[in-house]
Amino acid sequence: MPGKECVNLLVTTSQGLLPFIESLPDAVVIANADHKIVLVNSRAGEMFGYPVDALEGADLKMLIPVHLQDGHKRNVKGYFRGPHARPMGAGGRFSGLRADGTEVPVDIMINSIMLDGVRVAMALVRDVTYQRELEDRLTLESLTDEMTGFYNRKHFKAQLRAQFSAYTRSGLPASVVMYDFDRFKVINDQYGHAAGDRVLVDAAKLIHEELRPMDVACRVGGEEFAIILPNTNLQDAVTFAERIRKRIEQVEFRLDGITFHSTITVGVASFTPADTSYDSLMRRADNALYAGKAAGRNCVISQDSLT
Ligand SMILES: Nc1nc2c(ncn2[C@@H]2O[C@H](COP(=O)(O)OP(=O)(O)OP(=O)(O)O)[C@@H](O)[C@H]2O)c(=O)[nH]1
Protein backbone atom coordinates (compact mmCIF):
# COMPACT_ATOMS: atom_id res chain seq x y z
CA MET A 1 0.00 0.00 0.00
CA PRO A 2 1.51 3.39 -0.92
CA GLY A 3 1.68 6.29 1.53
CA LYS A 4 3.54 7.68 4.49
CA GLU A 5 1.88 5.43 7.09
CA CYS A 6 3.39 2.32 5.46
CA VAL A 7 6.87 3.75 5.37
CA ASN A 8 6.62 4.49 9.11
CA LEU A 9 4.73 1.39 10.12
CA LEU A 10 6.43 -0.40 13.01
CA VAL A 11 6.33 -4.18 12.71
CA THR A 12 7.09 -5.93 15.98
CA THR A 13 6.02 -8.48 18.55
CA SER A 14 4.50 -8.00 22.01
CA GLN A 15 7.65 -9.37 23.58
CA GLY A 16 9.85 -7.06 21.55
CA LEU A 17 7.73 -3.98 22.24
CA LEU A 18 7.11 -4.45 25.96
CA PRO A 19 10.51 -3.25 27.28
CA PHE A 20 10.15 -0.12 25.15
CA ILE A 21 6.62 0.79 26.30
CA GLU A 22 7.60 0.01 29.89
CA SER A 23 10.36 2.62 29.57
CA LEU A 24 7.88 5.38 28.59
CA PRO A 25 6.65 7.92 31.15
CA ASP A 26 3.12 7.88 29.64
CA ALA A 27 0.51 5.15 29.78
CA VAL A 28 0.37 2.99 26.65
CA VAL A 29 -2.78 1.17 25.59
CA ILE A 30 -2.74 -0.95 22.44
CA ALA A 31 -6.08 -2.06 20.99
CA ASN A 32 -7.22 -3.95 17.91
CA ALA A 33 -9.97 -3.20 15.40
CA ASP A 34 -12.43 -5.22 17.51
CA HIS A 35 -12.08 -2.68 20.31
CA LYS A 36 -10.16 -5.13 22.49
CA ILE A 37 -7.11 -4.18 24.53
CA VAL A 38 -4.17 -6.33 23.46
CA LEU A 39 -1.26 -4.85 25.40
CA VAL A 40 -0.69 -2.15 28.04
CA ASN A 41 2.29 -0.96 30.08
CA SER A 42 2.26 -0.87 33.87
CA ARG A 43 1.85 2.92 33.81
CA ALA A 44 -1.57 2.37 32.18
CA GLY A 45 -2.48 -0.02 34.99
CA GLU A 46 -1.52 2.62 37.55
CA MET A 47 -3.34 5.43 35.75
CA PHE A 48 -6.60 3.51 35.40
CA GLY A 49 -6.34 1.59 38.68
CA TYR A 50 -6.30 -1.96 37.28
CA PRO A 51 -3.75 -4.78 37.34
CA VAL A 52 -2.23 -5.06 33.87
CA ASP A 53 -3.66 -8.55 33.30
CA ALA A 54 -7.19 -7.31 34.05
CA LEU A 55 -6.85 -4.88 31.14
CA GLU A 56 -5.32 -7.15 28.50
CA GLY A 57 -8.11 -8.91 26.59
CA ALA A 58 -10.80 -6.59 27.98
CA ASP A 59 -13.05 -4.33 25.94
CA LEU A 60 -11.54 -0.87 25.52
CA LYS A 61 -14.78 0.67 26.81
CA MET A 62 -13.79 -0.15 30.39
CA LEU A 63 -11.35 2.77 30.15
CA ILE A 64 -13.84 5.18 28.54
CA PRO A 65 -16.47 7.23 30.43
CA VAL A 66 -20.01 6.13 29.50
CA HIS A 67 -20.89 9.43 27.77
CA LEU A 68 -17.91 9.04 25.41
CA GLN A 69 -18.20 5.32 24.70
CA ASP A 70 -20.42 5.38 21.58
CA GLY A 71 -18.45 8.12 19.88
CA HIS A 72 -15.19 6.45 20.76
CA LYS A 73 -16.22 3.10 19.31
CA ARG A 74 -17.21 4.81 16.04
CA ASN A 75 -13.88 6.65 15.99
CA VAL A 76 -11.90 3.45 16.51
CA LYS A 77 -13.71 1.86 13.55
CA GLY A 78 -13.01 4.94 11.45
CA TYR A 79 -9.39 4.96 12.56
CA PHE A 80 -8.76 1.44 11.28
CA ARG A 81 -10.08 2.46 7.85
CA GLY A 82 -7.22 4.96 7.50
CA PRO A 83 -4.80 4.57 10.39
CA HIS A 84 -2.12 7.23 10.82
CA ALA A 85 -0.36 9.08 13.62
CA ARG A 86 -2.60 11.75 15.12
CA PRO A 87 -3.86 13.21 18.37
CA MET A 88 -7.17 11.78 19.50
CA GLY A 89 -10.20 13.92 20.16
CA ALA A 90 -9.33 16.50 17.45
CA GLY A 91 -8.60 19.34 19.85
CA GLY A 92 -11.48 18.40 22.15
CA ARG A 93 -11.22 17.36 25.75
CA PHE A 94 -10.99 13.68 26.42
CA SER A 95 -10.99 11.75 29.66
CA GLY A 96 -10.43 8.20 30.77
CA LEU A 97 -12.43 6.15 33.26
CA ARG A 98 -10.66 4.75 36.31
CA ALA A 99 -11.59 1.52 38.08
CA ASP A 100 -13.06 3.56 40.96
CA GLY A 101 -15.46 5.32 38.56
CA THR A 102 -13.67 8.68 38.57
CA GLU A 103 -12.52 10.33 35.36
CA VAL A 104 -8.96 11.29 34.55
CA PRO A 105 -8.42 14.10 32.00
CA VAL A 106 -6.10 12.81 29.30
CA ASP A 107 -4.43 13.77 26.04
CA ILE A 108 -3.98 10.87 23.66
CA MET A 109 -1.70 10.35 20.65
CA ILE A 110 -2.39 7.33 18.50
CA ASN A 111 -0.49 5.54 15.80
CA SER A 112 -0.88 2.28 13.99
CA ILE A 113 1.63 -0.56 14.22
CA MET A 114 1.79 -4.24 13.22
CA LEU A 115 1.91 -6.28 16.41
CA ASP A 116 2.25 -10.07 16.28
CA GLY A 117 1.09 -9.91 12.65
CA VAL A 118 -2.05 -7.85 13.35
CA ARG A 119 -2.66 -4.17 12.68
CA VAL A 120 -3.37 -2.44 16.00
CA ALA A 121 -3.68 1.10 17.31
CA MET A 122 -1.16 2.19 19.91
CA ALA A 123 -2.30 5.03 22.18
CA LEU A 124 0.05 7.11 24.32
CA VAL A 125 -2.14 8.40 27.13
CA ARG A 126 -0.98 11.36 29.22
CA ASP A 127 -2.64 12.45 32.46
CA VAL A 128 -3.30 16.20 32.01
CA THR A 129 -5.14 16.89 35.29
CA TYR A 130 -2.79 19.73 36.20
CA GLN A 131 -2.93 21.38 32.73
CA ARG A 132 -6.75 21.16 32.63
CA GLU A 133 -7.06 22.74 36.07
CA LEU A 134 -4.72 25.52 35.00
CA GLU A 135 -6.63 26.01 31.74
CA ASP A 136 -9.95 26.17 33.61
CA ARG A 137 -8.55 28.65 36.11
CA LEU A 138 -7.13 30.90 33.37
CA THR A 139 -10.39 30.77 31.42
CA LEU A 140 -12.35 31.71 34.53
CA GLU A 141 -9.93 34.53 35.33
CA SER A 142 -10.24 35.91 31.81
CA LEU A 143 -14.03 36.10 32.25
CA THR A 144 -14.16 37.40 35.81
CA ASP A 145 -13.90 40.79 37.45
CA GLU A 146 -11.26 40.42 40.14
CA MET A 147 -12.75 42.97 42.54
CA THR A 148 -16.32 41.71 42.80
CA GLY A 149 -15.96 38.13 41.59
CA PHE A 150 -18.75 38.81 39.08
CA TYR A 151 -18.27 37.96 35.42
CA ASN A 152 -16.97 40.66 33.07
CA ARG A 153 -18.58 42.40 30.10
CA LYS A 154 -17.15 39.91 27.63
CA HIS A 155 -18.87 37.01 29.40
CA PHE A 156 -22.06 39.04 29.79
CA LYS A 157 -22.31 39.51 26.04
CA ALA A 158 -21.52 35.86 25.29
CA GLN A 159 -24.13 34.64 27.77
CA LEU A 160 -26.78 37.07 26.59
CA ARG A 161 -26.16 35.99 23.00
CA ALA A 162 -26.67 32.36 24.08
CA GLN A 163 -29.87 33.32 25.91
CA PHE A 164 -31.13 35.08 22.80
CA SER A 165 -30.51 31.93 20.72
CA ALA A 166 -32.47 29.88 23.28
CA TYR A 167 -35.27 32.44 23.15
CA THR A 168 -35.51 32.42 19.35
CA ARG A 169 -35.26 28.60 19.22
CA SER A 170 -37.72 27.70 21.94
CA GLY A 171 -39.32 30.90 23.21
CA LEU A 172 -37.63 30.46 26.61
CA PRO A 173 -37.91 33.89 28.30
CA ALA A 174 -34.90 35.70 29.71
CA SER A 175 -34.46 39.07 31.36
CA VAL A 176 -31.67 41.44 32.25
CA VAL A 177 -31.53 43.53 35.39
CA MET A 178 -29.06 46.37 34.92
CA TYR A 179 -28.08 48.53 37.88
CA ASP A 180 -25.82 51.46 38.54
CA PHE A 181 -24.92 53.05 41.87
CA ASP A 182 -26.41 56.46 42.53
CA ARG A 183 -24.17 59.49 42.88
CA PHE A 184 -21.24 57.16 43.33
CA LYS A 185 -18.82 59.98 42.68
CA VAL A 186 -20.04 61.61 45.91
CA ILE A 187 -19.13 58.47 47.93
CA ASN A 188 -15.66 58.48 46.40
CA ASP A 189 -15.24 62.21 46.98
CA GLN A 190 -16.63 62.19 50.49
CA TYR A 191 -15.20 58.96 51.95
CA GLY A 192 -12.41 58.06 49.54
CA HIS A 193 -11.98 55.59 46.68
CA ALA A 194 -11.52 52.67 49.10
CA ALA A 195 -15.01 53.35 50.47
CA GLY A 196 -16.40 53.25 46.93
CA ASP A 197 -14.62 49.93 46.40
CA ARG A 198 -16.10 48.62 49.65
CA VAL A 199 -19.60 49.43 48.40
CA LEU A 200 -19.00 47.61 45.10
CA VAL A 201 -17.58 44.51 46.80
CA ASP A 202 -20.09 44.24 49.66
CA ALA A 203 -23.06 44.95 47.40
CA ALA A 204 -21.85 42.19 45.04
CA LYS A 205 -21.72 39.71 47.95
CA LEU A 206 -25.17 40.68 49.06
CA ILE A 207 -26.65 40.42 45.58
CA HIS A 208 -24.91 37.10 45.06
CA GLU A 209 -26.99 35.73 47.95
CA GLU A 210 -30.14 36.54 45.99
CA LEU A 211 -29.10 34.67 42.83
CA ARG A 212 -30.11 31.23 41.58
CA PRO A 213 -27.28 29.03 40.27
CA MET A 214 -28.38 29.73 36.67
CA ASP A 215 -28.26 33.54 37.01
CA VAL A 216 -25.23 35.34 35.59
CA ALA A 217 -24.07 38.44 37.46
CA CYS A 218 -21.64 40.67 35.57
CA ARG A 219 -19.77 43.92 36.07
CA VAL A 220 -20.30 45.68 32.75
CA GLY A 221 -18.69 49.02 33.62
CA GLY A 222 -17.02 50.84 36.54
CA GLU A 223 -20.08 50.94 38.81
CA GLU A 224 -22.56 49.47 36.37
CA PHE A 225 -23.70 45.86 36.68
CA ALA A 226 -26.03 43.55 34.80
CA ILE A 227 -27.61 40.28 35.86
CA ILE A 228 -28.94 37.84 33.30
CA LEU A 229 -31.96 35.96 34.62
CA PRO A 230 -32.60 32.95 32.38
CA ASN A 231 -36.10 31.53 32.19
CA THR A 232 -37.51 34.66 33.84
CA ASN A 233 -40.26 36.93 32.51
CA LEU A 234 -40.36 40.69 32.90
CA GLN A 235 -42.67 40.68 35.91
CA ASP A 236 -40.50 38.25 37.91
CA ALA A 237 -37.36 40.16 36.91
CA VAL A 238 -38.92 43.40 38.23
CA THR A 239 -39.73 41.65 41.53
CA PHE A 240 -36.11 40.47 41.77
CA ALA A 241 -34.84 43.97 40.90
CA GLU A 242 -37.00 45.53 43.60
CA ARG A 243 -35.64 43.01 46.13
CA ILE A 244 -32.00 43.84 45.43
CA ARG A 245 -32.72 47.58 45.32
CA LYS A 246 -34.23 47.38 48.82
CA ARG A 247 -31.37 45.27 50.17
CA ILE A 248 -28.77 47.79 48.99
CA GLU A 249 -30.80 50.68 50.35
CA GLN A 250 -30.95 49.09 53.80
CA VAL A 251 -27.33 48.04 54.16
CA GLU A 252 -24.85 50.03 56.20
CA PHE A 253 -21.45 49.88 54.51
CA ARG A 254 -18.42 50.17 56.78
CA LEU A 255 -14.80 51.08 56.28
CA ASP A 256 -12.26 52.01 58.97
CA GLY A 257 -14.98 52.74 61.53
CA ILE A 258 -16.95 54.97 59.14
CA THR A 259 -20.41 53.91 57.98
CA PHE A 260 -22.20 55.08 54.86
CA HIS A 261 -25.15 54.22 52.66
CA SER A 262 -25.63 53.82 48.94
CA THR A 263 -28.51 53.15 46.56
CA ILE A 264 -28.91 51.76 43.07
CA THR A 265 -31.12 52.57 40.12
CA VAL A 266 -32.25 49.55 38.14
CA GLY A 267 -33.42 49.03 34.56
CA VAL A 268 -35.19 45.80 33.62
CA ALA A 269 -35.77 44.34 30.17
CA SER A 270 -36.84 41.00 28.68
CA PHE A 271 -36.66 39.57 25.19
CA THR A 272 -39.66 40.36 22.99
CA PRO A 273 -40.77 38.80 19.68
CA ALA A 274 -39.66 41.98 17.90
CA ASP A 275 -36.02 41.53 18.98
CA THR A 276 -33.64 40.63 16.20
CA SER A 277 -30.56 40.43 18.44
CA TYR A 278 -29.60 40.65 22.09
CA ASP A 279 -28.51 44.28 21.50
CA SER A 280 -32.05 45.59 21.56
CA LEU A 281 -32.65 44.09 25.01
CA MET A 282 -29.45 45.70 26.28
CA ARG A 283 -30.55 49.03 24.86
CA ARG A 284 -33.94 48.77 26.56
CA ALA A 285 -32.36 47.85 29.91
CA ASP A 286 -29.97 50.78 29.52
CA ASN A 287 -32.78 53.18 28.59
CA ALA A 288 -34.87 52.01 31.55
CA LEU A 289 -31.88 52.55 33.86
CA TYR A 290 -31.36 56.08 32.59
CA ALA A 291 -35.10 56.79 32.85
CA GLY A 292 -34.75 55.74 36.51
CA LYS A 293 -31.85 58.16 37.01
CA ALA A 294 -33.92 60.93 35.44
CA ALA A 295 -36.86 60.01 37.69
CA GLY A 296 -34.79 60.66 40.82
CA ARG A 297 -32.73 57.44 41.32
CA ASN A 298 -33.09 54.58 43.84
CA CYS A 299 -35.91 53.01 41.83
CA VAL A 300 -36.69 50.18 39.39
CA ILE A 301 -37.92 50.97 35.88
CA SER A 302 -38.93 48.28 33.43
CA GLN A 303 -39.05 48.43 29.64
CA ASP A 304 -42.85 48.60 29.88
CA SER A 305 -42.60 52.09 31.35
CA LEU A 306 -40.60 53.41 28.41
CA THR A 307 -42.52 55.36 25.80
N1 LIG B 1 -14.23 53.50 44.12
C1 LIG B 1 -14.48 53.21 42.84
N2 LIG B 1 -15.06 54.13 42.04
C2 LIG B 1 -15.31 53.81 40.76
C3 LIG B 1 -14.96 52.55 40.22
N3 LIG B 1 -15.34 52.55 38.92
C4 LIG B 1 -15.91 53.73 38.65
N4 LIG B 1 -15.90 54.52 39.77
C5 LIG B 1 -16.38 55.89 39.94
O1 LIG B 1 -17.77 55.94 39.78
C6 LIG B 1 -18.11 57.30 39.52
C7 LIG B 1 -19.23 57.35 38.51
O2 LIG B 1 -19.58 58.67 38.39
P1 LIG B 1 -20.75 59.15 37.45
O3 LIG B 1 -20.69 58.41 36.16
O4 LIG B 1 -20.68 60.63 37.42
O5 LIG B 1 -22.04 58.66 38.14
P2 LIG B 1 -22.58 58.85 39.59
O6 LIG B 1 -21.75 59.79 40.41
O7 LIG B 1 -22.77 57.50 40.16
O8 LIG B 1 -23.96 59.52 39.30
P3 LIG B 1 -25.28 58.88 38.72
O9 LIG B 1 -24.90 57.61 38.03
O10 LIG B 1 -25.80 59.88 37.77
O11 LIG B 1 -26.17 58.64 39.87
C8 LIG B 1 -16.84 57.99 39.02
O12 LIG B 1 -16.41 58.90 40.01
C9 LIG B 1 -15.85 56.84 38.91
O13 LIG B 1 -14.53 57.23 39.22
C10 LIG B 1 -14.31 51.62 41.08
O14 LIG B 1 -13.96 50.50 40.70
N5 LIG B 1 -14.10 51.99 42.37
Side-chain angles (χ1 to χ4, degrees), residues 180-181 183-185 188 193 197 219 222-223 293 297:
D180 180 287
F181 286 84
R183 307 222 186 274
F184 202 65
K185 192 173 173 324
N188 277 336
H193 207 264
D197 286 358
R219 183 179 187 186
E223 30 87 67
K293 292 277 181 184
R297 299 174 172 80

Side-chain angles (χ1 to χ4, degrees), residues 29-294:
V29 177
I30 299 176
N32 63 23
D34 295 329
H35 216 252
K36 290 272 180 295
I37 300 170
V38 294
L39 188 67
V40 295
N41 64 359
S42 35
R43 183 75 196 93
E46 286 159 24
M47 180 184 288
F48 291 100
Y50 289 101
V52 164
D53 52 7
L55 289 174
E56 288 170 359
D59 192 299
L60 197 50
K61 79 175 182 193
M62 78 190 276
L63 302 182
I64 318 279
V66 176
H67 65 279
L68 298 173
Q69 280 177 7
D70 284 351
H72 184 262
K73 198 157 189 173
R74 271 196 307 278
N75 290 344
V76 169
K77 264 201 187 125
Y79 182 75
F80 276 95
R81 279 198 291 273
H84 59 287
R86 65 165 174 82
M88 209 169 89
R93 288 175 154 218
F94 204 78
S95 42
L97 180 66
R98 293 196 189 95
D100 64 7
T102 58
E103 291 189 21
V104 51
V106 289
D107 269 355
I108 301 179
M109 295 297 298
I110 39 176
N111 200 2
S112 176
I113 61 171
M114 289 298 288
L115 188 70
D116 302 326
V118 177
R119 191 185 270 273
V120 293
M122 178 169 71
L124 266 71
V125 186
R126 178 166 294 179
D127 180 342
V128 290
T129 304
Y130 171 75
Q131 289 88 332
R132 290 276 170 85
E133 281 170 4
L134 189 67
E135 234 175 84
D136 289 347
R137 208 172 62 237
L138 290 175
T139 304
L140 187 67
E141 275 174 21
S142 78
L143 299 174
T144 311
D145 167 51
E146 200 183 0
M147 183 192 273
T148 59
F150 279 10
Y151 287 108
N152 59 21
R153 192 179 180 86
K154 178 174 156 192
H155 190 65
F156 171 71
K157 287 192 164 184
Q159 289 298 305
L160 196 57
R161 191 179 294 122
Q163 285 300 320
F164 183 64
S165 299
Y167 172 74
T168 50
R169 256 196 333 271
S170 57
L172 204 70
S175 301
V176 163
V177 163
M178 195 173 274
Y179 65 92
D180 180 287
F181 286 84
D182 297 328
R183 307 222 186 274
F184 202 65
K185 192 173 173 324
V186 175
I187 292 186
N188 277 336
D189 291 349
Q190 205 165 337
Y191 304 105
H193 207 264
D197 286 358
R198 173 54 58 90
V199 170
L200 298 182
V201 171
D202 285 1
K205 279 187 198 146
L206 196 134
I207 285 168
H208 190 259
E209 290 170 11
E210 300 289 337
L211 301 178
R212 303 164 300 175
M214 68 177 85
D215 300 332
V216 187
C218 309
R219 183 179 187 186
V220 294
E223 30 87 67
E224 187 171 317
F225 296 78
I227 304 168
I228 302 173
L229 303 174
N231 203 5
T232 304
N233 63 28
L234 189 65
Q235 197 184 342
D236 291 341
V238 168
T239 305
F240 167 82
E242 190 53 42
R243 195 161 70 238
I244 62 168
R245 186 198 66 74
K246 276 205 187 106
R247 278 204 76 177
I248 303 284
E249 182 186 51
Q250 285 160 4
V251 74
E252 198 165 64
F253 297 99
R254 286 170 190 275
L255 182 73
D256 299 335
I258 299 167
T259 59
F260 40 94
H261 288 86
S262 185
T263 58
I264 55 172
T265 296
V266 194
V268 186
S270 302
F271 288 126
T272 70
D275 286 337
T276 51
S277 84
Y278 69 92
D279 280 338
S280 20
L281 179 147
M282 272 179 73
R283 251 194 317 277
R284 284 197 301 279
D286 222 35
N287 290 342
L289 168 54
Y290 284 97
K293 292 277 181 184

